[in-house]
Amino acid sequence: MASQPEAELKDWSLSDAWRGLQLWVFIPAVIIIVSALFFAAWWGNTRGAQAFEDLNSAIVNSVGWWYILLCTGFVIFALWAGLSKAGNIRLGRDDEKPEFSLGSWFCMLFAAGMGIGLVFWGVAEPLWHMIAPPEITGEAGVDANGNIIAATESSAAGTAMGQALFHWGLHAWAIYVVIGLGLAYMTFRRGRPLAIRWLLEPIFGRKLIESWVGHIIDVVAIVGTVFGVVTSLGIGAQQIAAGMGFMGWVEDPTSQPLLTGLVAVIMIVATLSVISGVHKGLKWLSNINLLAAAALALFVLFAGPTMFLLQSIVSNIGEYALAFPNLMFETNAEYAAGAGNEQGGLLGNGWSADWTIYYWGWWMSWAPFVGMFIARISRGRTIREFVLGVLLAPTAVGILWFSIFGSSGIYYQLTEGTMLIDDGEGGQTVGTEASFFQLLDHLPLASITAVLAILVITIFFITSGDSGSLVTDVLAYGGRTTTPKLTRVFWTALIAVSAIVLLAAGDDPSSSLRVLQVAAIASAAPFSIVMALAVIAQVRVFIYEGRTMNRYVRVRRHATKAALVETAREEVGKDAGPAVQKKVLELLNRQTRSLRAMFGGTSATLSGLPASSEARKLAEGKASDDLVIAIEDVPAHATTVDPQTGVLGWDRSKGYSDPITDEVFETPEYSESYVGWEHSSEEFFDETLATGTIPVVAPELKDDDA
C-alpha cells in the first residue's frame, strides 16, 4: 500500500510501472473514462444536436440544488476554518516556518488563479450577462399596468460584472480550499500520503481507507480531474482556433479537423515536456506566461478606456458584494423577459443551469488539480494564512482581470455597439470564442496582442495538460511523490483523446461547449460527495486539534514593572528612595515564594530553580524574568481531585479523542510531517529516560536567593 516505503520505479519499465500502480484505482478509472467517451460519441450520433441538451437538463435537475447548497457551504467552512481557533494550527510542525516567502506564495497563488478559463470568459461572460441577464436582476420591476420596466444599460452592465465575479470569486476558491487545505493538513501535519483518499481517514479509519473504500475515492477523484482538465483544454482549443481565424490564418475556426489538430499538436508538446522532465523549464515557462498575461492586461488598461476601467475596478467590488448574497442560494433562475430564447442565452437552458451550476461542477472536477498544487506550496503556513490567502489573493486577481477585460468589452458595446455578432436569425449574440480578439481589435497593435493572446492560451494549454497528467498519475500511484514517465505519457494521451472525442461529439461550437459542460457537471457529481465528507472530516480533526493544541503563554511575576513600583510607592508613601526600593525587593521575594508554591508540583522543569544567580538567569532567560509555559485545554469532565492531597489531575481516557489513528507510516511524508517529527522525538526522549542519562534537577530556590 501507499503507506509502505517507496521503491524506485524506472521511467520506461512497463513491469515497474505496473508493479507500482494501485491497480484497483488505475484500471477502474481508465475503464470509466473510456466508457464515458464511448457513451458521449454514441449519444451524440444517435440522438442528434438535442441529445446533450436533454442530458444536461436531466443532470441539472438532479444535482443542481445540491451543487448550489454544497458550494455555499464550502465558503462557510473556509471562513470558519480561517477565523476560528482552528486557524492557529500550522500545516507542519508547530515551530516550522513557511516553505516560501509571502511574496513568492502570493505569486504562485496568482499563477493558480490564472488559466485558460479566465482568458476564455474574461470578455464573453459579462457580455452574456448584460444581454441575457437572470430574471432576478434583469428586470427593475413592473408599472401600474403590469408592464415590465427593464433595467437601464448602465445598471445591466454593473450587475453583469457582479454576476461574472460571483462565478470566479470566493465560491470557486472555497472549493479549492476544501481539497488543498485537507491535503496540506493530512500530509504535512499528519504525515499521510498525498492522495485524496486520506482526506476521509477521520471518518472511515486507516483500515477502510487502504481498502476498497479508498480505491473508490481515488477513482472518483481521477475521473473528475480528467474531465475537468478536458473541459479546460476543449475551450482552450476553441479559443485558439478563434484567434487563428481572427488573424486570417484559417478560414473556418470551427472546423473539427482544426480543433482535433490543435489538441493533438499541443498535447504532443506537453508529452515532450513529460518525457524530458524539464520541470524547471516548465516553471520558467509558466512564470513568463504569467508575466505575458499581466502585460496584456496592463496594455488593455492603458490603451483602452483607462479612467472608465479604473472606476470599474472599484465599482465592480461593490457589484460583487451585491451579487454574492443575491445568488449564493439561487438554484433555478431563468433568463429575464425570455432572454434565453430571444438572445439565445449562453446555451438556452436556464440561467442557473447555464452558468452557476456549470461553474460549480467544473470547479469541483478541477479541485484535485488546483488543490494539490496549492497544498504543495503551503507547507509551514497556518490554516488562517492558508484560507485567507487562497480565498482573497486569486479573487483579487479575478476582480482585476474581469474589470479590465470584461468592463472593456461592455464599454465598447455600450459606446460603439461592436462587441456582438449576428446570430444567423436576424438577431445578435455574443461570439464567445472570438470575443477576446474582438476586444483587442479595438486597440492599437491588435495583430501583435492577438498573437500574444494565442501564445498565452497555448502555454496555459501545455502546462494544464502536463500538470493534469501529473496529478492523475500521483493519484493512480496512491500519492507517491515521483511517478514513472511512462504512465504520465499515458495520462497525457488519454486526456488528449478525451478532449478530441468530446469536441467531436458536438456538431458546432455551441453544442461542443454543451458537451464539455455536461462532462464537467456529470463528473463532479460523485466527487461532490467526497468533498462533502472531506469537510466533515476536517471539521472533526480541526475541532479536536484546536482543543488539544498547546498554547504558549507568559506567566509574569507581576503585572508590569511600573505597577509593582507604584504599589511599593503607595505602600510606603514616598515617590522614590531606599524605602521604595526595599519594598520592591520584598514584593519580588514574596512573588518568588508564591510562584514556587503554585508551580512547584507541576512538572520537573517548574519544581525548582537553580540556586545561583547565574544559573537562574540561564534557566529563565537572560533578557526576561517571566516564565513561559505550554497550556493544553482539558475537558471539565475529565478532571479529577486526589482525595488524599487535593491535587488536581485528569483522566486521559476521558479527554478529547483524536479522529485519526495514531499509527506510524514508513513514508517520506510521515517522517517529514509534524506527527512524524513528534514521534521520533518522543522515542528519543523515552530512550534517554530508559538509559538514565537525564541530568538531576537543580535544588529548590531558597528564600535568601530570591
Side-chain angles (χ1 to χ4, degrees):
M1 296 302 297
S3 59
Q4 300 305 313
E6 293 183 354
E8 184 178 354
L9 302 176
K10 297 178 181 178
D11 281 328
W12 302 107
S13 171
L14 182 59
S15 60
D16 270 22
W18 191 257
R19 172 172 57 84
L21 282 167
Q22 293 270 15
L23 296 180
W24 286 105
V25 173
F26 176 78
I27 295 175
V30 172
I31 291 174
I32 292 173
I33 293 169
V34 172
S35 299
L37 296 178
F38 274 112
F39 171 79
W42 168 80
W43 186 264
N45 289 331
T46 57
R47 295 177 177 261
Q50 188 63 27
F52 290 97
E53 297 286 343
D54 298 337
L55 183 59
N56 185 73
S57 298
I59 296 173
V60 167
N61 291 334
S62 300
V63 301
W65 65 272
W66 166 247
Y67 284 5
I68 299 295
L69 180 64
L70 191 63
C71 292
T72 297
F74 292 158
V75 176
I76 296 171
F77 161 74
L79 293 175
W80 168 81
L83 301 178
S84 70
K85 190 176 180 181
N88 296 321
I89 300 171
R90 192 166 294 278
L91 301 174
R93 299 192 304 272
D94 285 342
D95 60 346
E96 192 168 0
K97 299 296 183 182
E99 187 175 1
F100 298 98
S101 67
L102 187 62
S104 297
W105 187 60
F106 272 123
C107 286
M108 286 186 280
L109 288 178
F110 290 156
M114 293 295 298
I116 293 174
L118 273 178
V119 181
F120 186 84
W121 291 114
V123 178
E125 182 175 348
L127 286 172
W128 271 119
H129 295 326
M130 187 176 73
I131 69 167
E135 57 187 357
I136 57 175
T137 60
E139 302 166 359
V142 294
D143 60 18
N145 298 321
N147 298 318
I148 295 174
I149 303 175
T152 62
E153 281 190 334
S154 60
S155 176
T159 56
M161 290 303 305
Q163 290 151 13
L165 293 175
F166 174 74
H167 294 137
W168 292 84
L170 296 179
H171 276 75
W173 288 94
I175 293 171
Y176 300 146
V177 164
V178 171
I179 300 300
L181 178 58
L183 287 174
Y185 175 83
M186 293 300 293
T187 300
F188 303 141
R189 185 79 177 173
R190 306 307 288 258
R192 272 41 178 180
L194 193 66
I196 301 298
R197 66 172 66 193
W198 293 102
L199 295 180
L200 305 191
E201 185 189 356
I203 295 177
F204 295 110
R206 178 176 177 178
K207 185 176 181 180
L208 280 179
I209 285 299
E210 291 185 329
S211 69
W212 62 273
V213 173
H215 300 335
I216 291 176
I217 294 169
D218 281 349
V219 167
V220 167
I222 288 175
V223 173
T225 301
V226 166
F227 285 110
V229 173
V230 165
T231 301
S232 293
L233 300 188
I235 66 174
Q238 290 179 322
Q239 193 169 32
I240 292 173
M244 295 173 69
F246 173 80
M247 295 298 297
W249 298 344
V250 296
E251 292 185 4
D252 182 11
T254 65
S255 166
Q256 190 59 48
L258 173 63
L259 295 175
T260 300
L262 284 173
V263 173
V265 170
I266 295 177
M267 290 305 284
I268 286 173
V269 177
T271 303
L272 292 176
S273 74
V274 170
I275 296 173
S276 62
V278 287
H279 298 296
K280 291 184 179 179
L282 272 178
K283 182 179 179 181
W284 175 76
L285 196 63
S286 298
N287 290 338
I288 288 183
N289 203 42
L290 184 61
L291 292 175
L296 195 60
L298 290 174
F299 173 79
V300 174
L301 174 63
F302 292 110
T306 305
M307 291 305 301
F308 174 80
L309 297 181
L310 291 176
Q311 293 168 352
S312 296
I313 293 173
V314 178
S315 63
N316 289 342
I317 296 174
E319 293 292 349
Y320 176 41
L322 292 174
F324 188 89
N326 202 22
L327 298 175
M328 61 190 299
F329 289 112
E330 183 59 55
T331 62
N332 195 31
E334 296 293 338
Y335 288 100
N341 296 322
E342 295 173 10
Q343 303 291 350
L346 170 65
L347 295 164
N349 199 47
W351 191 88
S352 293
D354 284 349
W355 293 104
T356 308
I357 296 172
Y358 158 58
Y359 273 128
W360 291 180
W362 187 13
W363 300 154
M364 282 190 283
S365 64
W366 193 249
F369 174 37
V370 178
M372 190 173 292
F373 170 76
I374 61 177
R376 295 183 74 158
I377 66 173
S378 301
R379 182 180 188 123
R381 301 212 167 268
T382 64
I383 289 179
R384 182 169 295 113
E385 290 173 330
F386 179 97
V387 169
L388 295 181
V390 172
L391 282 183
L392 300 182
T395 298
V397 172
I399 291 174
L400 290 174
W401 185 269
F402 274 96
S403 294
I404 292 173
F405 289 95
S407 294
S408 293
I410 287 176
Y411 174 85
Y412 288 114
Q413 176 57 30
L414 294 180
T415 58
E416 301 179 17
T418 54
M419 289 302 297
L420 301 182
I421 62 174
D422 294 334
D423 61 4
E425 299 178 1
Q428 289 189 311
T429 188
V430 178
T432 305
E433 296 81 9
S435 59
F436 194 90
F437 300 98
Q438 284 180 261
L439 171 63
L440 296 179
D441 198 30
H442 288 81
L443 304 174
L445 307 176
S447 58
I448 297 176
T449 55
V451 172
L452 180 61
I454 294 173
L455 182 63
V456 167
I457 300 166
T458 302
I459 297 177
F460 277 136
F461 202 138
I462 294 170
T463 54
S464 295
D466 178 72
S467 302
S469 67
L470 171 62
V471 170
T472 51
D473 212 28
V474 168
L475 294 174
Y477 279 93
R480 68 179 298 132
T481 54
T482 57
T483 60
K485 294 177 182 177
L486 179 64
T487 47
R488 288 188 64 183
V489 169
F490 168 80
W491 287 114
T492 306
L494 183 59
I495 289 171
V497 170
S498 300
I500 291 170
V501 170
L502 292 183
L503 284 171
D507 300 339
D508 52 65
S510 177
S511 59
S512 294
L513 189 59
R514 172 64 81 192
V515 174
L516 296 172
Q517 181 186 40
V518 170
I521 295 176
S523 62
F527 191 64
S528 68
I529 300 173
V530 173
M531 294 189 69
L533 293 175
V535 168
I536 296 172
Q538 289 177 68
V539 168
R540 291 188 63 187
V541 294
F542 293 163
I543 288 177
Y544 163 77
E545 187 155 353
R547 288 170 172 172
T548 59
M549 67 185 298
N550 284 334
R551 292 184 293 118
Y552 297 96
V553 297
R554 294 169 57 197
V555 180
R556 285 180 172 176
R557 300 178 180 227
H558 44 79
T560 63
K561 293 179 180 179
L564 191 66
V565 172
E566 182 63 25
T567 300
R569 286 172 175 168
E570 291 177 355
E571 185 69 17
V572 300
K574 297 181 180 181
D575 291 339
V580 176
Q581 292 177 344
K582 181 180 179 181
K583 190 62 180 180
V584 169
L585 292 174
E586 288 178 359
L587 291 174
L588 286 172
N589 191 22
R590 291 172 185 171
Q591 284 181 343
T592 301
R593 289 198 298 268
S594 299
L595 286 172
R596 187 182 70 239
M598 185 181 301
F599 294 111
T602 303
S603 68
T605 56
L606 293 175
S607 61
L609 297 174
S612 70
S613 177
E614 291 300 319
R616 186 188 312 129
K617 287 182 180 179
L618 181 64
E620 297 179 359
K622 294 181 180 180
S624 174
D625 61 352
D626 302 332
L627 295 175
V628 177
I629 59 176
I631 296 177
E632 178 181 327
D633 292 337
V634 174
H637 65 267
T639 59
T640 60
V641 177
D642 190 306
Q644 302 298 323
T645 63
V647 174
L648 187 66
W650 73 298
D651 185 349
R652 291 181 180 274
S653 64
K654 295 181 181 179
Y656 297 117
S657 177
D658 190 350
I660 301 178
T661 55
D662 185 19
E663 298 186 43
V664 177
F665 287 67
E666 296 181 7
T667 58
E669 294 90 354
Y670 183 83
S671 62
E672 296 171 3
S673 69
Y674 166 75
V675 293
W677 164 80
E678 187 179 49
H679 174 76
S680 61
S681 300
E682 289 176 351
E683 278 191 335
F684 175 81
F685 184 85
D686 292 341
E687 291 172 0
T688 304
L689 281 180
T691 57
T693 57
I694 288 289
V696 178
V697 176
E700 290 190 6
L701 179 67
K702 297 179 181 179
D703 292 350
D704 56 4
D705 292 320

